[in-house]
Amino acid sequence: MRNQSFLRSKAFTLVELLVVIAIIGVLVGLLLPAVQAAREAARRMSCSNNVKQIGLGIHNYHSAYNMLPRHKTGTGSNGANWFASSMLRNHEELSMLVGLTPFIEAQGLWEKISNPLVQGSQNYSAMGPTPDNSGSAATDYSPWFTELATLRCPSDPGVGLPAFGRTNYAACLGDSPWRGTGGGADDTLTRTSAFAQETRASMRGAFVPRQTTTFRDILDGLANTIIMGEITTDLGDNDTRTEGLHNLGMTLTAGGPSLCKNHANIDAQRPQFWSVGTGSAVDRRRGYRWADGNPIYTVMNNMLPPNSPVCRLTIAIENTGHHGQVTGVLPPSSRHQGGCHVLMGDGAVKFITDSIEAGNMNAMPVSSVGTTVNDNVPGRKSPYGLWGSLGTRASKEVIDTEF
């Protein structure tokens, strides 16, 4: 009898078992957010490390060639319009990331790109075809849709088609969109005095389309100038940061980036999303082609602060072939909470918050047609506050604020 009583006294009752299960459930519920936060912290650190590796690659490139990797470069158009697709040459549409490949542990890919390549029945010239998929050029040319781990942030879940080789890192062109696609060249890649003047006035960032820049050009100091920034790639969900509204009503003489930030097509209940589709083609979204130097894919600028909406200007602004090749308001963005990574000229990686001081977002960006000090006159101080001044390479702004 004593043994039976002893055994019964050591058994769990149903109530005790339920209490234990409830306690375990509460502990798991408390632990999961911490686990998720730890995983995101690890992804963010890995993303920051990628930016650092790109910075080291840029410095090694500069040491080797005494220049930054050129943005919008490659083989010419042979008299054809540069914005037309070609299987024979790339029309100087390649991003600065292409030339950087051998300096970011992608030597094998660079060997494919820099030499003639035979795939099936097609013979490709060195440096490949145009990096778009409007024809069979990029579809057949394997280097253009090869994804590089160094160019992908682990926090970004975007994968696969309709993208052709995604990138989460983009070149900084400064605080103005003008000539951000063509640079100093016209439709047939002929350099003209008028376009050179416009480009010199407006393209005030570390990189200038179709033009060589060096660290010597960054007179504001490498530690005070952003040369690259993080971008998030499109998921097909009408995200304002990745699907660019086109035909923004900004012209050379009227309108500022606030036209994009306060646009009527932004969902009032969910301001990170467009209320309706922007009408842009599904393959012409943010970060969709790492090898393509056209702005929507591999460019950021310093007008609106990080994680603000993306908007593109009209085709007529730079006489391009379609909306995938136009310039616009292109802030950096990320899937991290509260901001994104940027790369400074000295190789330092900074995390810039969405709330960085961005000056007067109603102001016109600098172009070559301004007539007054308060207008978009060349050489003026960036109207976009601390954020804008970090994007210019030689405007002599004084950075006296920690960021």
Side-chain angles (χ1 to χ4, degrees), residues 30-93:
L30 293 173
L31 184 61
L32 279 178
V35 171
Q36 292 171 344
R39 286 175 175 172
E40 170 53 24
R43 289 191 292 263
R44 177 172 159 176
M45 183 177 296
S46 178
C47 186
S48 174
N49 184 64
N50 285 347
V51 180
K52 187 68 175 178
Q53 293 304 312
I54 292 172
L56 290 173
I58 290 174
H59 275 257
N60 288 334
Y61 185 102
H62 196 281
S63 295
Y65 301 111
N66 199 32
M67 58 183 279
L68 295 173
R70 192 164 177 168
H71 190 70
K72 280 239 167 175
T73 187
T75 49
S77 64
N78 197 28
N81 287 335
W82 69 261
F83 46 79
S85 296
S86 173
M87 303 263 296
L88 303 177
R89 50 189 62 86
N90 56 51
H91 295 180
E92 292 189 17
E93 288 196 76

Side-chain angles (χ1 to χ4, degrees), residues 159-334:
V159 294
L161 294 172
F164 276 71
R166 295 177 189 242
T167 177
N168 289 110
Y169 310 107
C172 180
L173 303 190
D175 64 343
S176 177
W178 311 121
R179 303 309 304 168
T181 296
D186 66 9
D187 294 358
T188 60
L189 297 181
T190 301
R191 272 57 177 175
T192 71
S193 178
F195 287 161
Q197 180 180 350
E198 291 181 20
T199 303
R200 186 169 58 249
S202 59
M203 289 287 96
R204 310 200 297 175
F207 292 94
V208 178
R210 299 186 171 123
Q211 182 175 312
T212 297
T213 57
T214 70
F215 284 148
R216 179 65 183 85
D217 297 318
I218 304 177
L219 301 180
D220 287 349
L222 297 180
N224 297 325
T225 305
I226 294 172
I227 62 174
M228 294 197 72
E230 185 180 358
I231 60 173
T232 187
T233 68
D234 187 68
L235 303 180
D237 56 359
N238 280 349
D239 194 320
T240 59
R241 303 170 301 171
T242 62
E243 182 179 345
L245 179 82
H246 67 251
N247 290 332
L248 182 66
M250 184 191 296
T251 69
L252 285 169
T253 56
S258 62
L259 292 176
C260 183
K261 192 174 182 65
N262 302 320
H263 202 278
N265 279 12
I266 295 176
D267 192 328
Q269 301 301 318
R270 299 189 309 153
Q272 189 179 305
F273 298 90
W274 300 111
S275 57
V276 295
T278 65
S280 60
V282 295
D283 61 312
R284 296 166 190 163
R285 307 284 174 85
R286 206 79 166 110
Y288 264 18
R289 301 176 193 158
W290 71 271
D292 198 321
N294 286 301
I296 193 68
Y297 307 118
T298 54
V299 161
M300 61 146 287
N301 48 38
N302 296 68
M303 290 182 282
L304 295 181
N307 290 305
S308 296
V310 168
C311 292
R312 293 170 294 164
L313 303 179
T314 62
I315 290 176
I317 289 292
E318 293 193 56
N319 300 319
T320 63
H322 55 62
H323 284 290
Q325 295 167 321
V326 297
T327 184
V329 180
L330 303 163
S333 57
S334 79

Side-chain angles (χ1 to χ4, degrees), residues 100-118:
L100 197 61
T101 51
F103 296 90
I104 54 172
E105 304 297 327
Q107 181 67 34
L109 183 62
W110 171 249
E111 293 296 334
K112 280 188 174 182
I113 295 170
S114 60
N115 291 288
L117 182 66
V118 178

Side-chain angles (χ1 to χ4, degrees), residues 343-364:
L343 175 67
M344 309 305 292
D346 64 350
V349 179
K350 303 280 189 178
F351 190 81
I352 303 294
T353 64
D354 300 343
S355 58
I356 188 171
E357 193 270 311
N360 180 13
M361 287 177 278
N362 294 314
M364 275 294 298

